């Protein structure tokens, strides 16, 4: 079989048809699936753990019996979303709203997201708080701010129903993130009602937004005949959906 043609190898022509780019852009789907499965399995495996009253971060905490499993889950999740962020940088016009989502994503997952649950994981309840707890809380706030920034940028990138959806998701993430932060304030007294429930609404609303964003990017930036390759101009960017 001749793999070389007028436009290069068969592999390069496949990339030209955006097959590989499409796989990367849809990475949020397996990323979310891995995370949700890990959250469920780890929480069920952790004897006495409460979905409603305990943070997801307590699954990766130092002293947690399921820390190795949940850290592995979060690393796979982060690598997939890092690939998605890098993919955005390749399909978006430089310094457009979509490009900035990719840039913030790359910085967020490498500099903040991964260290938050590995080097700077929190201590389990009952353990003496340390510098790692302070760093974990600080990095979590920075990551949350980056998530909200990318949601705002996505509303700039795509108009129509998606803009309303992105802003609605932003409101859910902000409100339930704040509610979870308030609820976790009683952790020293082991009294954190709904801290986990609020955090999961916050996290899963963000995950849903990621998947919808990936579909929007696939539709508008890699949409085949109506999005000519390499032009730097794609009709979906900023267009009503």
């Amino acid at each position: 079989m001749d793999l070389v043609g007028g436009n290069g190898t068969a592999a390069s022509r496949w990339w030209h048809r955006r097959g590989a780019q499409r796989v990367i852009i849809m990475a949020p789907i397996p990323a979310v699936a891995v995370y949700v499965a890990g959250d469920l399995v780890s929480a069920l495996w952790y004897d006495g753990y409460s979905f409603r009253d305990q943070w997801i971060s307590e699954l990766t905490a130092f002293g947690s019996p399921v820390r190795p499993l949940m850290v592995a889950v979060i690393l796979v999740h982060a690598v997939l979303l890092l690939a998605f962020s890098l993919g955005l940088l390749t399909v978006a016009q430089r310094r457009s709203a979509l490009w900035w989502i990719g840039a913030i994503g790359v910085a967020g997952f490498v500099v903040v997201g991964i260290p938050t649950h590995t080097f700077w994981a929190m201590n389990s309840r009952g353990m003496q708080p340390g510098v790692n707890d302070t760093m974990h809380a600080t990095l979590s706030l920075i990551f949350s701010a980056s998530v909200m920034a990318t949601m705002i940028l996505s509303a700039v990138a795509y108009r129509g129903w998606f803009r309303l959806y992105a802003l609605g998701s932003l409101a859910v993430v902000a409100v339930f993130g704040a509610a979870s932060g308030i609820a976790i304030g009683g952790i020293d007294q082991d009294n954190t009602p709904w801290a986990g429930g609020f955090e999961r609404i916050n996290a899963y609303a963000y995950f849903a937004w990621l998947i919808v964003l990936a579909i929007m990017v696939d539709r508008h930036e890699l949409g085949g005949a109506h999005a000519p390759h390499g032009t730097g101009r794609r009709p979906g960017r900023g267009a009503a959906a």
Side-chain angles (χ1 to χ4, degrees), residues 59-60 66-76 117-118 121:
L59 297 173
T60 61
V66 296
R67 172 173 163 77
L69 171 61
M70 196 59 190
V71 167
V73 165
I74 286 180
L75 287 175
V76 172
H117 295 280
T118 53

Side-chain angles (χ1 to χ4, degrees), residues 29-175:
I29 294 177
V32 170
V34 167
Y35 194 104
V36 173
D39 183 24
L40 290 172
V41 172
S42 297
L44 291 172
W45 190 354
Y46 191 158
D47 186 39
Y49 181 87
S50 171
F51 276 101
R52 190 192 70 176
D53 298 335
Q54 290 183 258
W55 263 6
I56 299 171
S57 292
E58 295 186 63
L59 297 173
T60 61
F62 293 117
S64 164
V66 296
R67 172 173 163 77
L69 171 61
M70 196 59 190
V71 167
V73 165
I74 286 180
L75 287 175
V76 172
H77 169 83
V79 168
L80 286 169
L81 291 186
L82 177 60
F84 170 67
S85 299
L86 290 169
L88 291 180
L89 295 178
T90 67
V91 303
Q93 185 176 3
R94 186 167 178 79
R95 300 199 182 280
S96 64
L98 196 62
W99 186 90
W100 280 111
I101 293 173
I104 292 172
V106 170
F109 288 109
V110 173
V111 179
V112 181
I114 293 175
T116 298
H117 295 280
T118 53
F119 303 113
W120 300 115
M122 65 185 291
N123 287 335
S124 293
R125 298 187 186 215
M127 295 176 63
Q128 185 69 25
V131 175
N132 57 300
D133 289 280
T134 302
M135 285 297 299
H136 182 84
T138 301
L139 292 176
S140 294
L141 285 173
I142 295 172
F143 187 77
S144 295
S146 71
V147 165
M148 290 190 284
T150 56
M151 286 181 158
I152 293 171
L153 286 167
S154 75
V156 174
Y158 298 113
R159 300 196 301 266
W161 67 268
F162 181 82
R163 175 168 294 175
L164 296 176
Y165 170 73
L167 294 176
S169 297
L170 172 64
V172 171
V173 166
V175 169

Side-chain angles (χ1 to χ4, degrees), residues 201-222:
I201 294 173
N202 163 280
Y204 292 173
Y206 162 58
F207 292 158
W209 166 82
L210 271 174
I211 291 174
V212 177
L213 175 63
I215 293 170
M216 291 293 289
V217 174
D218 179 64
R219 174 182 173 186
H220 291 290
E221 315 306 322
L222 302 174

